[in-house]
Amino acid sequence: MNLNEIIEKLKLQVLTAQDKLDAEVSYGYTSDLLSDVIANSKEGNLWITLQTHQNIIAVAKLKDLAGIIIVNNRKPEEETLKKAEEENVPLITTEETAFNISGKLYQLISTQE
Amino acid sequence: MSTENGLSKRFEITGGDFGKAGEVSTKIKEILQEIGIDSTIIRRTAIATYEAEMNVVMYAKKAELTLHLTPTKISIRVYDDGPGIENIEVAMQEGFSTATDEMREMGFGAGLGLPNIKKNADRFKISSTPGKGTALDITIYLNQAGKK
Ligand SMILES: Nc1ncnc2c1ncn2[C@@H]1O[C@H](COP(=O)(O)OP(=O)(O)OP(=O)(O)O)[C@@H](O)[C@H]1O
Ligand SMILES: [Mg+2]
């Protein structure tokens, strides 16, 4: 399933990298610990987190993730937005909790397969 | 700086600035991409370098990182003059961390950085002297033979 479809179905807000939304999403990974994401996420994963600082962009790039969903209506820092634009990483926000959005994404991906 | 035996480059990592962190590993990734190194090798190198860089930023004041590339391998040496590590065996364990509350709030401190380096390297050597500093030697082979 591509990122665009997920964004529409889950009513997410895209803040950056509008031209990368046709990327295929392989699965999701939910974690707020950066080294854990580095260790356990997979290429093409959509990363769900409450972290908002710019190191999340570096981590997404390192692992070639499809994008980052920031939960609980939190807003990324200015520097994070700038870096996401520079590096062309889709930054997405939602008012949902990590639990809820993970559940919805899981449902969406697994019913599609 | 190029030599007949390959390519050597030196970088400075400066501690304390979380924001700027990741710059050196990004640069190394770009260099390897330009040369046309296999993308899996690049990813492993970038991950190992990023974790080493973050540790310098969080625990040491500054470090020198050298990248050495030959036709058979990538070698990375990170040499800092920070506080050093009392017990390397313990520091290498998954989950061990002395990260501060501020670092943990930002998502650091899983205690997975050094294990991530080890996992992504074909060879990994760490040595440290408390009060003097820490040295990491990371080797990633370019050919199948030594590959993980
Ligand atoms: N360069 C260093 N200088 C001094 N101490 C270090 C250095 N690198 C690591 N350490 C020590 O080893 C511990 C474990 O490091 P490791 O990278 O595995 O985890 P972490 O940095 O605490 O958390 P994470 O990397 O998961 O964010 C650190 O908490 C720190 O005490
Ligand atoms: Mg670390």
Side-chain angles (χ1 to χ4, degrees), chain A residues 39-58:
Chain A
N40 298 314
S41 69
K42 299 277 183 312
E43 181 173 357
N45 280 181
L46 191 49
W47 175 20
I48 297 167
T49 185
L50 54 68
Q51 299 294 350
T52 57
H53 59 89
Q54 60 174 309
N55 289 83
I56 61 175
I57 308 302

Side-chain angles (χ1 to χ4, degrees), chain A residues 35, chain B residues 55 58-59 80 84-85 91 96-98 108-115 134:
Chain A
S35 289
Chain B
N55 282 352
M58 295 198 290
Y59 308 111
D80 74 52
I85 300 172
F96 177 84
S97 176
T98 61
F108 300 108
L112 288 174
L114 292 174
T134 303

Side-chain angles (χ1 to χ4, degrees), chain B residues 1-10 35 67-71 73:
Chain B
M1 175 175 60
S2 280
T3 67
E4 265 179 61
N5 297 333
L7 170 96
S8 282
K9 272 189 184 298
R10 257 183 35 201
I35 294 169
L67 165 74
H68 190 66
L69 182 73
T70 72
K73 66 183 182 192

